[in-house]
Amino acid sequence: MLTPLGRLDKYAASENIFNRQMVARSLLDTLREVSDDERDCIAVLERISRLADDSEPAVRAELMEQVPHIALFCQENRPSIPYAFSKYLLPIVVRYLADQNNQVRKTSQAALLALLEQELIERFDVETRVCPVLVELTAPDSNDDVKTEAVAIMCKMAPMVGKDITERLILSRFCEMCCDCRMFHVRKVCAANFGDICSVVGQQATEEMLLPRFFQLCSDNVWGVRKACAECFMAVSCATCQETRRTKLSALFINLISDPSRWVRQAAFQSLGPLISTFADPSSSGRQFKEEGQSSEDNLSIEGINRLSDGEDVPEDAETRPETPLSDLSVSNSSTKLEDTLAERAEITRRSSGEPSVPVDSSVLCTLSSESHQDGASNVNAKKPGNYKSLLRPEVGTSLQDFVLSDQELYNSFHFWRTPLPEIDIDTELEQESGDKLSPERPQETPEVTVPCSPNITMATRKELEEMIENLEPHIDDPDVKAQVEVLSAALRASCLEAHEDTIDIEKRSDLQDELGVNELPNVKINQDDSVPLINDAVENIDCTLHYIHTDSDLSINSVFSPDEEKKSKVQDVVPQALLDQYLSMTDPSRAQTVDTEIAKHCAYSLPGVALTLGRQNWHCLRETYETLASDMQWKVRRTLAFSIHELAVILGDQLTAADLVPIFNGFLKDLDEVRIGVLKHLHDFLKLLHVDKRREYLYQLQEFLVTDNSRNWRFRAELAEQLILLLDLYGPRDVYDYLRPIALNLCADKVSSVRWISYKLVSEMVKKLYLSALPTFGIDLINELVENFGRCPKWSGRQAFVFVCQTVIEDDCLPMDQFAIYLMPHLLTLANDRVPNVRVLLAKTLRQNLLEKDYFLNSAGCHQEAVEQTIMALQMDRDSDVKYFASVLPASSKAAEDAMSTASSTY
């Protein structure tokens, strides 16, 4: 019997916490009850202020959850109280931001953001009551948790309050928080939201105030901060000018890619493709950068790549070196790396082209091959011979005669005091390293080394070998030590052989290589036997190592591109070359082991955006990478490419599509269903870009889409039906009749109703196209086939499918009504005597709701109209109630009509 206010007062004063929670939860209902009286509304708001002082955190949290709903109600229903929210509710929200209870703070933060998003807080209140409180909460003496949360709120509200308030009240404190030396959590929040702040304040404030802080955050000693920087790098890049983006941000990003933390590298590689897309030139790509909103599509589609900005050429000396294999061991600052790289490249340039490559231990080759495969395969110009000179080999002269190896260099602890490597085929290994071992300028003129194997053995006297073995004997139980003893024993036996026998053997082998020829040498494998000094797989003789490297280099010259030409094929002037080199390296198998197992998928995901940025004139830079991704072992990578191949075709144009994309497209057609669905969903988009003759070749393969790995994958067939509807515009009447018609009729008889319903639409559109063509006989033949296969089908589902097709033909005006009355209507009316009620129900609905609504049957009094009316009268006398109902004239909005329709629909 209490009034709403009385009930509110009673339970708000209860000692039971649950009662006070229920009061907070029912505040909105109480306001609705008293909304007609302004004084009662104000009384409820005053009680809200008192309830906000409740000592129980659960009550305060419940109250804060209701505040956004109450504020919206007051704005919509009580505009006569404009001060209601500002006076009663906003102070509670602001006060709770510093509440001692974590749950209360979280709910107040969510409420504040919701109120700002719905624009329920006046701008004046934001400047005078919200921002000052947040700035105060981020003071140095503030509570750690409160400070971190306040910084996050400031960052999230910046896009909502706009540039003016952000620059005046938030930006300076945000810059201070970026340099918080005591709490890395604060720096991490700033780094995570850095891109949002940059997009709000604009280019000038970003470059003058924010970029110096961003550089500090990118070199933070906490990997989580650097990872957050890598994730928002694209947004920061978009807020800067083209010169800054090229000269400063690209070098900074290379440091993140080479970061010692795997998580930072992983985030950087994921952001690499989007970052490259910011270098696009709108004049060539036709796309401008959109500051607000970010595409979340599975692929960077052409519509989705609208966040682009201008770009300029970058000088060679401004590029930084890609990540070296030693970055995981020691990481120096960016300036040191750049100076070392330039110094090494200058030294390489000064060297003679005839300088021989010094043999390196095979274990080192294995280590380098995994890290530098990216540069040997897709970026030859990034790595030069001599990059690892200081660590892996002694200084060498300008000619082979000056090359001398000392005992210490040949027989050191690295060579002997380790576990022997397993025997592997040297061809594969050296093939990857051939680009790094030879000077790319004149690799053909590298002289063959004829140093015999015997000096390698005799340099260590038998006495030294015996002493080594004797020192290892006490530790023979260790498997590694035992293997080393075996190696030294073999060396000891080899030292007993006469030097002239070894020399003869090497000369024979050289003659054999000359006879076989250059092209056959990679298939030759060294067979070690008693006649050849056997020390270790890692300690190959100089002649063998250099000779095989020389052979592989010859092969590379005989290929399509020489090293110089291949290097030029990867060079472009749209984006900094170092960024593109790192992007191309994402297909390197070693990246999956050292960075991210999904790195190839990220590369495939962003490839259309990178291709759009570079333009079709630079497609040669990406062709090899795209082919590598298309043959990736992970089906998720191929699936990503399959979903975006039509977008890439638009970017490349018809000639490049026919040359480079069509073969990959054909491979996707024969792939797993998970990959084929990507091609199928955009089949029309891709085929319409091909030449007419090339397009007709795929008519023979459309039938293969009916076969799937799992017969229960009905969505595959449904997608095929939808694509065939679009493909009708790409092919002539004869092709449609010969190739598409059998597939459509097959889909009309599918076991799954969803596939059949789409197929009915397909068949009706096919009837329309064939009948309106220059040879309408195709359309008439299709109609006759529909009557024979479905209208007279012994199964009731087939006869029902015939009614569905007729219904679709009528709705979409696929045939003139006079032609429909001649070819289809007589067979349709005969189904009024069908023994299955479901067929008669659908017939009654089609005649009453579709056919009689046409002007041809409304305005003409002919035999056709009379036949329809007689059929409807017969259906109105049907023994089935549903048939009689749909054959009768009833208001379409009646409840009974809706129930009957849903009941009847469930039967077919």
Side-chain angles (χ1 to χ4, degrees), residues 298-331:
D298 186 46
N299 302 284
L300 286 177
S301 63
I302 295 179
E303 294 79 12
I305 311 171
N306 54 3
R307 300 154 50 83
L308 306 175
S309 56
D310 296 338
E312 292 181 347
D313 295 345
V314 60
E316 284 267 319
D317 56 357
E319 298 176 9
T320 57
R321 181 178 63 179
E323 177 184 0
T324 64
L326 304 176
S327 60
D328 290 338
L329 301 178
S330 61
V331 179

Short mmCIF file of all heavy atoms in Angstrom, two decimals, residues 298-331:
data_model
loop_
_atom_site.label_atom_id
_atom_site.label_comp_id
_atom_site.label_asym_id
_atom_site.label_seq_id
_atom_site.Cartn_x
_atom_site.Cartn_y
_atom_site.Cartn_z
N ASP A 298 38.37 -10.13 -42.31
CA ASP A 298 39.34 -11.22 -42.29
C ASP A 298 40.50 -10.94 -43.24
O ASP A 298 41.59 -11.41 -43.06
CB ASP A 298 38.64 -12.51 -42.71
CG ASP A 298 39.54 -13.72 -42.59
OD1 ASP A 298 40.21 -13.82 -41.54
OD2 ASP A 298 39.58 -14.53 -43.52
N ASN A 299 40.24 -10.07 -44.29
CA ASN A 299 41.32 -9.67 -45.18
C ASN A 299 41.29 -8.16 -45.31
O ASN A 299 40.27 -7.52 -45.14
CB ASN A 299 41.13 -10.30 -46.58
CG ASN A 299 41.07 -11.79 -46.52
OD1 ASN A 299 42.07 -12.45 -46.36
ND2 ASN A 299 39.89 -12.36 -46.64
N LEU A 300 42.46 -7.54 -45.68
CA LEU A 300 42.52 -6.12 -45.94
C LEU A 300 41.96 -5.89 -47.33
O LEU A 300 42.68 -5.81 -48.31
CB LEU A 300 43.97 -5.62 -45.83
CG LEU A 300 44.51 -5.53 -44.41
CD1 LEU A 300 45.97 -5.09 -44.48
CD2 LEU A 300 43.72 -4.56 -43.58
N SER A 301 40.64 -5.80 -47.44
CA SER A 301 40.01 -5.65 -48.73
C SER A 301 40.26 -4.26 -49.28
O SER A 301 40.71 -3.36 -48.59
CB SER A 301 38.50 -5.89 -48.61
OG SER A 301 37.92 -4.92 -47.77
N ILE A 302 39.94 -4.07 -50.55
CA ILE A 302 40.15 -2.78 -51.18
C ILE A 302 39.28 -1.73 -50.51
O ILE A 302 39.69 -0.59 -50.31
CB ILE A 302 39.84 -2.89 -52.68
CG1 ILE A 302 40.84 -3.83 -53.33
CG2 ILE A 302 39.90 -1.52 -53.35
CD1 ILE A 302 40.62 -4.02 -54.77
N GLU A 303 38.06 -2.10 -50.14
CA GLU A 303 37.22 -1.16 -49.41
C GLU A 303 37.77 -0.90 -48.02
O GLU A 303 37.54 0.17 -47.46
CB GLU A 303 35.79 -1.70 -49.32
CG GLU A 303 35.06 -1.82 -50.65
CD GLU A 303 35.47 -3.06 -51.43
OE1 GLU A 303 36.14 -3.93 -50.84
OE2 GLU A 303 35.14 -3.13 -52.61
N GLY A 304 38.43 -1.89 -47.46
CA GLY A 304 38.93 -1.74 -46.09
C GLY A 304 40.25 -1.00 -46.02
O GLY A 304 40.63 -0.53 -44.96
N ILE A 305 40.97 -0.88 -47.15
CA ILE A 305 42.27 -0.20 -47.12
C ILE A 305 42.02 1.26 -47.44
O ILE A 305 42.37 1.75 -48.50
CB ILE A 305 43.23 -0.83 -48.13
CG1 ILE A 305 43.25 -2.33 -47.99
CG2 ILE A 305 44.62 -0.29 -47.97
CD1 ILE A 305 44.00 -3.01 -49.07
N ASN A 306 41.39 1.96 -46.52
CA ASN A 306 41.12 3.37 -46.72
C ASN A 306 41.86 4.23 -45.71
O ASN A 306 41.63 5.41 -45.60
CB ASN A 306 39.62 3.64 -46.63
CG ASN A 306 39.03 3.13 -45.34
OD1 ASN A 306 39.75 2.61 -44.49
ND2 ASN A 306 37.72 3.25 -45.18
N ARG A 307 42.75 3.60 -44.96
CA ARG A 307 43.51 4.33 -43.95
C ARG A 307 44.92 4.55 -44.48
O ARG A 307 45.89 4.00 -43.98
CB ARG A 307 43.55 3.53 -42.66
CG ARG A 307 42.17 3.29 -42.09
CD ARG A 307 42.15 2.05 -41.24
NE ARG A 307 43.21 2.02 -40.26
CZ ARG A 307 43.13 2.62 -39.09
NH1 ARG A 307 42.07 3.30 -38.76
NH2 ARG A 307 44.12 2.53 -38.22
N LEU A 308 45.06 5.34 -45.53
CA LEU A 308 46.35 5.49 -46.20
C LEU A 308 46.78 6.96 -46.22
O LEU A 308 45.96 7.86 -46.08
CB LEU A 308 46.27 4.97 -47.64
CG LEU A 308 45.73 3.53 -47.78
CD1 LEU A 308 45.58 3.20 -49.24
CD2 LEU A 308 46.65 2.57 -47.09
N SER A 309 48.06 7.20 -46.42
CA SER A 309 48.57 8.57 -46.52
C SER A 309 49.71 8.62 -47.52
O SER A 309 50.13 7.61 -48.06
CB SER A 309 49.03 9.07 -45.15
OG SER A 309 50.00 8.21 -44.62
N ASP A 310 50.19 9.84 -47.79
CA ASP A 310 51.20 10.03 -48.83
C ASP A 310 52.53 9.43 -48.46
O ASP A 310 52.80 9.15 -47.31
CB ASP A 310 51.38 11.52 -49.11
CG ASP A 310 50.11 12.14 -49.67
OD1 ASP A 310 49.31 11.36 -50.21
OD2 ASP A 310 49.93 13.36 -49.55
N GLY A 311 53.42 9.26 -49.46
CA GLY A 311 54.76 8.73 -49.21
C GLY A 311 55.77 9.32 -50.17
O GLY A 311 55.43 9.75 -51.27
N GLU A 312 57.03 9.37 -49.76
CA GLU A 312 58.11 9.88 -50.59
C GLU A 312 59.22 8.85 -50.66
O GLU A 312 59.22 7.87 -49.92
CB GLU A 312 58.66 11.18 -50.00
CG GLU A 312 57.66 12.34 -50.07
CD GLU A 312 58.28 13.60 -49.50
OE1 GLU A 312 59.34 13.49 -48.86
OE2 GLU A 312 57.71 14.65 -49.70
N ASP A 313 60.15 9.12 -51.53
CA ASP A 313 61.30 8.22 -51.63
C ASP A 313 62.17 8.36 -50.39
O ASP A 313 62.30 9.43 -49.81
CB ASP A 313 62.13 8.55 -52.87
CG ASP A 313 61.32 8.29 -54.13
OD1 ASP A 313 60.29 7.60 -54.02
OD2 ASP A 313 61.71 8.79 -55.19
N VAL A 314 62.80 7.27 -50.02
CA VAL A 314 63.69 7.29 -48.86
C VAL A 314 65.11 7.07 -49.36
O VAL A 314 65.34 6.22 -50.22
CB VAL A 314 63.30 6.21 -47.84
CG1 VAL A 314 63.37 4.84 -48.46
CG2 VAL A 314 64.19 6.27 -46.62
N PRO A 315 66.07 7.84 -48.89
CA PRO A 315 67.46 7.62 -49.34
C PRO A 315 68.00 6.31 -48.82
O PRO A 315 67.55 5.78 -47.81
CB PRO A 315 68.21 8.82 -48.72
CG PRO A 315 67.35 9.26 -47.57
CD PRO A 315 65.95 8.97 -47.99
N GLU A 316 68.99 5.81 -49.54
CA GLU A 316 69.56 4.52 -49.19
C GLU A 316 70.15 4.52 -47.78
O GLU A 316 70.01 3.58 -47.03
CB GLU A 316 70.65 4.16 -50.20
CG GLU A 316 70.13 3.68 -51.54
CD GLU A 316 70.01 2.18 -51.59
OE1 GLU A 316 70.91 1.52 -51.08
OE2 GLU A 316 69.01 1.71 -52.12
N ASP A 317 70.83 5.63 -47.42
CA ASP A 317 71.52 5.63 -46.14
C ASP A 317 70.57 5.80 -44.97
O ASP A 317 70.99 5.73 -43.82
CB ASP A 317 72.57 6.74 -46.10
CG ASP A 317 71.94 8.10 -46.41
OD1 ASP A 317 70.73 8.13 -46.69
OD2 ASP A 317 72.68 9.11 -46.37
N ALA A 318 69.27 6.03 -45.25
CA ALA A 318 68.32 6.17 -44.15
C ALA A 318 67.71 4.85 -43.75
O ALA A 318 67.00 4.76 -42.78
CB ALA A 318 67.20 7.14 -44.54
N GLU A 319 67.97 3.83 -44.54
CA GLU A 319 67.40 2.53 -44.22
C GLU A 319 68.26 1.81 -43.20
O GLU A 319 69.48 1.91 -43.20
CB GLU A 319 67.31 1.67 -45.49
CG GLU A 319 66.41 2.28 -46.55
CD GLU A 319 66.42 1.45 -47.80
OE1 GLU A 319 66.99 0.35 -47.75
OE2 GLU A 319 65.89 1.89 -48.80
N THR A 320 67.61 1.08 -42.34
CA THR A 320 68.34 0.31 -41.35
C THR A 320 68.39 -1.13 -41.76
O THR A 320 67.55 -1.61 -42.51
CB THR A 320 67.67 0.42 -39.98
OG1 THR A 320 66.33 0.00 -40.10
CG2 THR A 320 67.71 1.85 -39.46
N ARG A 321 69.38 -1.82 -41.22
CA ARG A 321 69.59 -3.22 -41.59
C ARG A 321 68.51 -4.10 -40.98
O ARG A 321 68.11 -3.90 -39.85
CB ARG A 321 70.96 -3.68 -41.09
CG ARG A 321 71.29 -5.11 -41.45
CD ARG A 321 72.66 -5.47 -40.98
NE ARG A 321 72.79 -5.42 -39.54
CZ ARG A 321 73.88 -5.72 -38.88
NH1 ARG A 321 74.96 -6.08 -39.55
NH2 ARG A 321 73.93 -5.67 -37.57
N PRO A 322 68.02 -5.11 -41.72
CA PRO A 322 67.07 -6.05 -41.14
C PRO A 322 67.71 -6.80 -39.98
O PRO A 322 68.92 -6.80 -39.80
CB PRO A 322 66.74 -7.00 -42.30
CG PRO A 322 67.14 -6.25 -43.53
CD PRO A 322 68.27 -5.36 -43.13
N GLU A 323 66.85 -7.46 -39.27
CA GLU A 323 67.30 -8.20 -38.08
C GLU A 323 68.33 -9.24 -38.46
O GLU A 323 68.16 -10.03 -39.38
CB GLU A 323 66.10 -8.88 -37.45
CG GLU A 323 66.45 -9.72 -36.24
CD GLU A 323 65.24 -10.45 -35.73
OE1 GLU A 323 64.19 -10.27 -36.30
OE2 GLU A 323 65.38 -11.19 -34.77
N THR A 324 69.46 -9.24 -37.75
CA THR A 324 70.51 -10.22 -38.00
C THR A 324 70.34 -11.40 -37.10
O THR A 324 69.65 -11.33 -36.09
CB THR A 324 71.89 -9.59 -37.74
OG1 THR A 324 71.97 -9.26 -36.36
CG2 THR A 324 72.09 -8.33 -38.56
N PRO A 325 70.96 -12.54 -37.43
CA PRO A 325 70.81 -13.72 -36.58
C PRO A 325 71.34 -13.53 -35.18
O PRO A 325 71.06 -14.33 -34.31
CB PRO A 325 71.61 -14.79 -37.33
CG PRO A 325 71.70 -14.29 -38.72
CD PRO A 325 71.71 -12.82 -38.65
N LEU A 326 72.14 -12.48 -34.96
CA LEU A 326 72.72 -12.29 -33.64
C LEU A 326 71.88 -11.38 -32.77
O LEU A 326 72.28 -11.07 -31.65
CB LEU A 326 74.12 -11.68 -33.79
CG LEU A 326 75.08 -12.47 -34.67
CD1 LEU A 326 76.38 -11.73 -34.84
CD2 LEU A 326 75.31 -13.85 -34.07
N SER A 327 70.70 -10.97 -33.24
CA SER A 327 69.91 -10.03 -32.47
C SER A 327 69.37 -10.65 -31.21
O SER A 327 69.07 -9.96 -30.25
CB SER A 327 68.75 -9.51 -33.32
OG SER A 327 67.93 -10.59 -33.70
N ASP A 328 69.19 -11.95 -31.19
CA ASP A 328 68.69 -12.60 -29.98
C ASP A 328 69.75 -12.66 -28.90
O ASP A 328 69.45 -12.88 -27.74
CB ASP A 328 68.21 -14.02 -30.30
CG ASP A 328 66.94 -13.99 -31.12
OD1 ASP A 328 66.27 -12.95 -31.06
OD2 ASP A 328 66.65 -14.98 -31.79
N LEU A 329 71.03 -12.53 -29.27
CA LEU A 329 72.10 -12.64 -28.29
C LEU A 329 72.46 -11.29 -27.69
O LEU A 329 72.67 -11.15 -26.49
CB LEU A 329 73.34 -13.27 -28.94
CG LEU A 329 73.12 -14.66 -29.55
CD1 LEU A 329 74.40 -15.13 -30.19
CD2 LEU A 329 72.66 -15.63 -28.48
N SER A 330 72.59 -10.32 -28.52
CA SER A 330 72.93 -8.99 -28.01
C SER A 330 72.28 -7.96 -28.90
O SER A 330 72.32 -8.04 -30.11
CB SER A 330 74.44 -8.80 -28.01
OG SER A 330 74.96 -8.91 -29.31
N VAL A 331 71.65 -6.98 -28.28
CA VAL A 331 70.93 -5.96 -29.03
C VAL A 331 71.50 -4.60 -28.66
O VAL A 331 71.54 -4.23 -27.49
CB VAL A 331 69.42 -6.00 -28.70
CG1 VAL A 331 68.71 -4.91 -29.46
CG2 VAL A 331 68.86 -7.37 -29.07
#
